[in-house]
Amino acid sequence: MSQSAAMTIPTNTCQSANTHHLADKTLIIFDWDGTLMDSIGLIVESMHIAGEAHGFTTTDKAVKDIIGLSLMKGIELLYPQASAEQKLLIQQSYADYYIANSQRTPFFAPIESMLQTLQQQNRQLAVATGKKRKGLDRVLDASDSHHYFVMTRCADEAGSKPDPQMLTDILQHTKQQVSNAVFIGDSIYDIQMANRLGMTSIAVNYGTASSAELAAQQPTYQVDTPQALAELLCA
């Protein structure tokens, strides 16, 4: 694939091409919301509905900035003035609304065909997400996509991003080395998490954070579209 506006490599990447050659990566780990699944709009809508139900307001940008964190950590950042009881109520209202409307969150095109191709190439695929286990299992069921992933790790099973515990758990489970893995995500917390392990990373510009915000975290690669991601990984 030729380098273009759809795929950029940070100019400060000074490690050898062999270190980051994606064709050699045998373990590919994905964030979920905003990376594989087109769920950002519903997340923002759900948080507005939940906050306003209990007397609190926020902005679209503020909600997008906490996507990738565990839900409660995000609520704490959005509504620091809320009491502990109110935060729990917001969390429940968010979950109720999101679950009731979760049929509105498809995979980005052409994500599923990309997963099929990577699986056919004998890559191991995994997920590291800020979702809770119950929430991830629900969307895996709804999208009939359990079979693509050898392991999935959630925020209630490990530290919230950018704590790299989810990634280390996946590495241990798959018996893979950091050098064999790449992590793909759409938030600054995703790239920070990969950087803490020295793991190759791909920032996707079509999710929560802007291209500039992601570039500031020094990802190994950046792509503008799901199609560009598929072309980069499947080449």
Side-chain angles (χ1 to χ4, degrees):
M1 174 186 170
S2 61
Q3 292 180 19
S4 67
M7 190 271 281
T8 60
I9 302 175
T11 56
N12 62 347
T13 299
C14 58
Q15 293 161 301
S16 70
N18 288 336
T19 302
H20 294 303
H21 195 341
L22 292 176
D24 295 334
K25 302 299 183 183
T26 51
L27 174 61
I28 302 176
I29 310 171
F30 298 95
D31 169 58
W32 190 268
D33 291 308
T35 300
L36 295 180
M37 185 159 277
D38 188 5
S39 50
I40 303 304
L42 181 58
I43 291 171
V44 172
E45 181 181 329
S46 299
M47 189 59 75
H48 282 310
I49 293 289
E52 290 167 9
H54 302 285
F56 299 97
T57 60
T58 188
T59 66
D60 288 359
K61 178 65 167 63
V63 177
K64 289 180 180 179
D65 284 347
I66 59 90
I67 294 174
L69 300 175
S70 65
L71 178 56
M72 182 51 74
K73 187 169 184 178
I75 289 170
E76 288 170 351
L77 290 173
L78 287 174
Y79 309 116
Q81 69 275 38
S83 68
E85 181 180 3
Q86 287 171 322
K87 289 170 184 172
L88 288 172
L89 291 171
I90 293 169
Q91 178 178 242
Q92 187 59 54
S93 295
Y94 173 93
D96 291 344
Y97 188 86
Y98 189 94
I99 291 167
N101 292 276
S102 58
Q103 74 281 359
R104 292 160 44 192
T105 56
F107 279 129
F108 289 105
I111 291 297
E112 187 155 20
S113 62
M114 177 194 73
L115 296 175
Q116 292 169 353
T117 298
L118 292 171
Q119 195 173 58
Q120 290 164 5
Q121 293 176 348
N122 295 317
R123 314 285 194 98
Q124 289 187 301
L125 309 181
V127 169
T129 176
K131 285 183 174 296
K132 289 186 175 182
R133 169 53 59 189
K134 185 176 180 180
L136 180 63
D137 283 347
R138 183 169 51 249
V139 295
L140 286 168
D141 287 340
S143 58
D144 191 23
S145 55
H146 279 278
H147 62 285
Y148 291 121
F149 306 107
V150 298
M151 186 183 184
T152 59
R153 208 70 173 144
C154 300
D156 55 344
E157 300 166 337
S160 180
K161 299 174 184 178
D163 185 323
Q165 184 185 346
M166 282 189 277
L167 297 182
T168 57
D169 287 350
I170 291 169
L171 289 169
Q172 289 170 5
H173 177 81
T174 58
K175 297 180 171 59
Q176 296 269 17
Q177 300 298 314
V178 171
S179 59
N180 295 331
V182 57
F183 181 61
I184 300 102
D186 67 309
S187 77
I188 62 170
Y189 309 110
D190 291 322
I191 307 308
Q192 289 170 358
M193 182 169 71
N195 286 345
R196 289 189 182 186
L197 291 184
M199 184 179 289
T200 299
S201 61
I202 304 173
V204 300
N205 297 338
Y206 53 81
T208 59
S210 70
S211 174
E213 289 170 330
L214 289 166
Q217 302 303 317
Q218 301 183 331
T220 317
Y221 299 89
Q222 280 188 262
V223 295
D224 288 337
T225 65
Q227 181 64 46
L229 176 65
E231 291 175 3
L232 181 62
L233 284 175
C234 297

